[in-house]
Amino acid sequence: MTTPTATPAKMRAVLYVACGGGTAGLKHAQVLVPSAKRNEVLLKLQAATVNPLDWKIQKGDLRPLLPRRLPFIPVPDVAGVVVGVGPGVNGLTAGDQVVAKLNSLNGGGLAEYTVASANLTVKRPAKVSAAEGAGLPIAAGTALQALRSIGSKFDGTGKPLNVLITAASGGVGLYAVQLAKLANLHVTATCGDRNMDLVKSLGANEVMDYRTPEGATLQSPSGRKYDGVVHCTVAVSWSSFQPLLSDGGRVVDITPNLSAILTYVLHRVTFSKKRLVPQLLLSLNKVDLEFLAGLLEEDKLKTVIDSRFPLSDAGKAWQSSIDGHAAGKIVVEMKS
């Protein structure tokens, strides 16, 4: 490994030593700076973003799969500068400003330094800030994958589908609205009243307050049937969506529970034309991450930032995500 710039032996990090405990379970610690192994790069981090998946892992919702080991430094969505390059890495050198998705098994984002796979690290365009770039991997990647699952295309060859996006003012939802418009879809969205103007400004054709009787029905104000639904919230059953779908319509559930998974299995074995599709895993690759970063550079996509916290206040960022009222991304910045 080559290390052109000196790095300290230890770094500040935020970690937890046991599952559970919420914000109170987070600990500030001095830990050893990791070293880049084969096909890895060492990053000096500038920003990371907290996603609901992060505190759900801490809560124990994904055990025994995650966390793989304790203590655990959470958060995989980061941006920073390359300060070391491991063997076998091509196309990345010390000094490159980058966006990366860390391996969820290892975590590492709430720290001053981390190692990232070169296969999920892309150069960050100069006009894109670290905070904007760090918002992309999980949230924008999830939105992109969900929209592709309902047949969206981003090369101009796709059909003009009608799509419903629930919880459209959340981290995934705001990216989904923008990406859907880029794919030439007609977008109906739901969110709280205070965020309706924001969602509309990002391209939604119809926006409904989910707290109103009209919004609760999820019916398009223009009477359209949905070819697809990007479902970003909970507590809405398949029976609510089914009559609103066109023939062959799909509901992509990004927070599926057991009932959703069982409904999916039933649809598969009965060859149902209308289907619920649980999106259990994010299959993000380097090409997709470069595509998303390029859209930011071209001003075709925007990272909406709800709030920013220094690493010393990472607990406040954690709690904000748990509370569930953020409109956009929650950013932790690694300023000294």
Side-chain angles (χ1 to χ4, degrees):
M1 168 183 163
T2 59
T3 311
T5 56
T7 57
K10 289 191 173 183
M11 65 180 183
R12 294 181 300 146
V14 176
L15 52 81
Y16 50 88
V17 298
C19 285
T23 301
L26 299 179
K27 309 296 181 184
H28 291 263
Q30 289 280 330
V31 301
L32 293 174
V33 173
S35 298
K37 299 180 177 64
R38 185 167 188 83
N39 296 322
E40 291 181 338
V41 290
L42 175 64
L43 306 181
K44 182 177 182 180
L45 294 181
Q46 298 165 322
T49 54
V50 179
N51 293 288
L53 177 63
D54 299 317
W55 53 262
K56 289 178 181 179
I57 292 172
Q58 183 210 25
K59 186 180 176 183
D61 288 357
L62 275 70
R63 299 212 76 173
L65 177 62
L66 293 171
R68 188 169 67 175
R69 65 172 69 91
L70 295 167
F72 187 74
I73 301 173
V75 177
D77 288 9
V78 300
V81 58
V82 176
V83 295
V85 179
V89 174
N90 296 306
L92 293 169
T93 59
D96 286 343
Q97 303 282 339
V98 297
V99 173
K101 181 186 179 300
L102 307 181
N103 186 326
S104 294
L105 294 176
N106 300 324
L110 289 187
E112 293 179 295
Y113 292 85
T114 195
V115 289
S117 167
N119 292 330
L120 280 175
T121 302
V122 303
K123 293 180 181 179
R124 173 165 55 85
K127 67 179 293 185
V128 176
S129 72
E132 291 169 332
L136 289 177
I138 286 182
T142 296
L144 181 66
Q145 183 171 309
L147 287 166
R148 284 176 172 163
S149 294
I150 64 174
S152 306
K153 295 186 178 181
F154 298 89
D155 59 1
T157 64
K159 298 178 181 179
L161 306 174
N162 299 314
V163 63
L164 168 67
I165 300 170
T166 63
S169 59
V172 174
L174 289 172
Y175 283 125
V177 169
Q178 297 175 78
L179 290 169
K181 292 308 297 181
L182 286 174
N184 196 33
L185 309 189
H186 182 279
V187 178
T188 303
T190 66
C191 63
D193 177 69
R194 69 186 180 95
N195 295 318
M196 290 178 68
D197 288 343
L198 169 62
V199 173
K200 188 112 180 166
S201 73
L202 294 176
N205 301 93
E206 304 172 326
V207 184
M208 300 182 290
D209 180 356
Y210 73 93
R211 295 185 181 93
T212 64
E214 295 78 14
T217 68
L218 301 176
Q219 294 180 12
S220 166
S222 59
R224 298 166 188 262
K225 293 287 188 178
Y226 302 123
D227 301 300
V229 177
V230 179
H231 185 36
C232 305
T233 186
V234 295
V236 182
S237 67
W238 165 253
S239 61
S240 298
F241 289 120
Q242 195 272 341
L244 306 178
L245 297 176
S246 63
D247 289 340
R250 292 189 174 193
V251 175
V252 180
D253 190 343
I254 71 166
T255 58
N257 55 22
L258 179 59
S259 175
I261 294 171
L262 293 175
T263 299
Y264 164 72
V265 172
L266 177 63
H267 291 169
R268 287 293 301 270
V269 299
T270 59
F271 302 99
S272 174
K273 289 184 178 180
K274 298 180 181 182
R275 290 189 179 185
L276 187 147
V277 181
Q279 187 163 300
L280 295 170
L281 296 172
L282 172 61
S283 301
L284 186 69
N285 57 45
K286 191 164 188 171
V287 172
D288 288 341
L289 197 50
E290 287 174 335
F291 171 66
L292 293 167
L295 292 178
L296 283 182
E297 181 182 27
E298 297 167 6
D299 293 323
K300 294 180 178 178
L301 186 67
K302 177 181 180 181
T303 294
V304 178
I305 296 174
D306 175 85
S307 50
R308 301 171 186 255
F309 301 88
L311 183 61
S312 58
D313 282 339
K316 293 180 180 179
W318 201 258
Q319 188 60 49
S320 179
S321 182
I322 292 172
D323 290 343
H325 303 304
K329 299 302 299 177
I330 301 166
V331 181
V332 176
E333 297 178 307
M334 314 311 172
K335 296 176 181 177
S336 301

